[in-house]
Amino acid sequence: MKNNLIKNYLSKLRDANSNEEIDKILDEIIPQLKSNGISLPQVMMYFKMYGDEAVPKSQDHSNSISNSNKAQVVLQKLLAKLKD
């Protein structure tokens, strides 16, 4: 069940095209993750198991964040915000 919640919240990151958009979305979903009792280790396990699904690849290759590093950027920002 928690995997479904994580997936639903992280799916909001699908259309983020900049670091600013990622930050804004993470600021919205972090409180929801925490209020549902989703811990940092659970998020890490989700990324380990379903990393390719967590942040879907964009079909628009003109994005300011390339497909190759979007998941990495999201994960780094997510971990930093969850530690707070």
Side-chain angles (χ1 to χ4, degrees):
M1 180 173 153
K2 290 196 179 199
N3 279 350
N4 287 336
L5 285 173
I6 295 170
K7 181 179 179 180
N8 288 339
Y9 291 133
L10 294 181
S11 70
K12 294 182 176 195
L13 295 164
R14 179 173 302 154
D15 298 323
N17 291 324
S18 69
N19 286 331
E20 293 78 22
E21 286 182 73
I22 291 171
D23 285 334
K24 181 181 175 188
I25 294 167
L26 288 176
D27 288 341
E28 292 175 15
I29 66 174
I30 297 291
Q32 295 172 353
L33 290 171
K34 288 181 177 179
S35 71
N36 281 291
I38 296 171
S39 66
L40 181 58
Q42 289 169 319
V43 173
M44 291 298 297
M45 182 58 68
Y46 183 87
F47 265 94
K48 184 176 182 179
M49 294 172 57
Y50 307 106
D52 291 340
E53 297 173 22
V55 182
K57 303 294 185 195
S58 170
Q59 297 302 310
D60 179 4
H61 297 291
S62 65
N63 287 341
S64 58
I65 298 177
S66 69
N67 286 336
S68 62
N69 74 350
K70 185 174 182 179
Q72 181 180 4
V73 168
V74 168
L75 182 58
Q76 288 171 345
K77 289 179 173 289
L78 177 64
L79 294 177
K81 290 179 182 284
L82 279 175
K83 287 181 183 179
D84 294 340

